[in-house]
Amino acid sequence: MATTAASALLAASFSAAATDTVYGTEFGTGSSYTTDILDTSVTFYAKTGTSKKNLKDAVFSYKPAQDGYQGVGVSPKKGSDTTVGEIDKNEWIIAKFDDAQVISNITLGLLFNGPEYGDNKEQASITVTYFDNSTSTFKLVATGNATASWTGLGSVTNLSPAIQDLGGVWSLDNPFGDLAVKSFSLTSLKDKSDFTLYSVTAVPEPESYAMLALGLGLVGFAARRRSHKLYA
């Protein structure tokens, strides 16, 4: 019974640790939002500024959802705002993790390819800092109603067509490969590109999966040995 219970507990832990998702709707309207993702603290910051080295606090803001996808954007604390509820040029959302995290998915919304709102091939820029402190910058560019280009790893999938009054929602799966990250930032590099952050999903590092699998294997081995002794 003990080994069976232990095995079930490990299996449940393995399943529970599979993924963890944070949604933009949870951020509120402050300048930062802190939560846990896979038992690791992560803080999201709203910032404005022309240079990442000299950013000012901003606030999270929202515009009405399209096609049911509600994302979060950025607005300055003071002054005018290009597009309330979206991430425009010189606006940033920055995520910082306390411990290594492998990002399995980032989903962005309201990224269109041109005719819908008069913006041409809107694009999102994502800069990631890995846990060895190296950095990379990637771009997601809407190229059609259901097509987009992504310069990073993994793949991009359309979840809601980039058609006016629909979501223009793009799912980036495994955007940084299996490399653990300590932070990433989202911004726009073009005047007429803006978008929202819908969600971020993390998975355990591959080493964590290996440890869980090893634990399940050891429990199974112990159970088999005990069963053999009982019936020997």
Side-chain angles (χ1 to χ4, degrees), residues 3 11 16-17 33 40 56 65 68 71 75-76 93 101 111 114 171 175 224 227:
T3 54
Y33 171 71
T40 293
K56 297 180 180 179
S75 293
I93 288 182
Q101 290 295 331
L111 195 74
S171 172
R224 286 194 299 273
S227 176

Side-chain angles (χ1 to χ4, degrees), residues 63 70-73 85-87 107-110 194-198:
K63 66 187 309 180
Q70 178 67 68
V72 61
E86 295 189 60
I87 304 168
T107 298
L108 306 178
L110 303 186
D194 41 55
F195 61 97
T196 63
L197 172 61
Y198 177 73

Side-chain angles (χ1 to χ4, degrees), residues 167-184:
V169 180
W170 310 92
S171 172
L172 293 169
D173 291 315
N174 205 31
F176 314 127
D178 291 329
L179 299 176
V181 307
K182 62 191 304 183
S183 68
F184 68 83

Side-chain angles (χ1 to χ4, degrees), residues 36-70:
D36 286 339
I37 189 166
L38 294 177
D39 297 323
T40 293
S41 179
V42 55
T43 300
F44 294 86
Y45 299 91
K47 298 285 185 178
T48 59
T50 57
S51 170
K52 196 175 179 181
K53 296 180 180 179
N54 187 26
L55 297 178
K56 297 180 180 179
D57 286 343
V59 293
F60 296 117
S61 62
Y62 305 84
K63 66 187 309 180
Q66 291 194 20
D67 203 21
Y69 288 92
Q70 178 67 68

Side-chain angles (χ1 to χ4, degrees), residues 14 204-217:
F14 189 89
E205 288 186 275
E207 291 83 355
S208 299
Y209 279 121
M211 290 298 290
L212 281 168
L214 177 61
L216 286 170

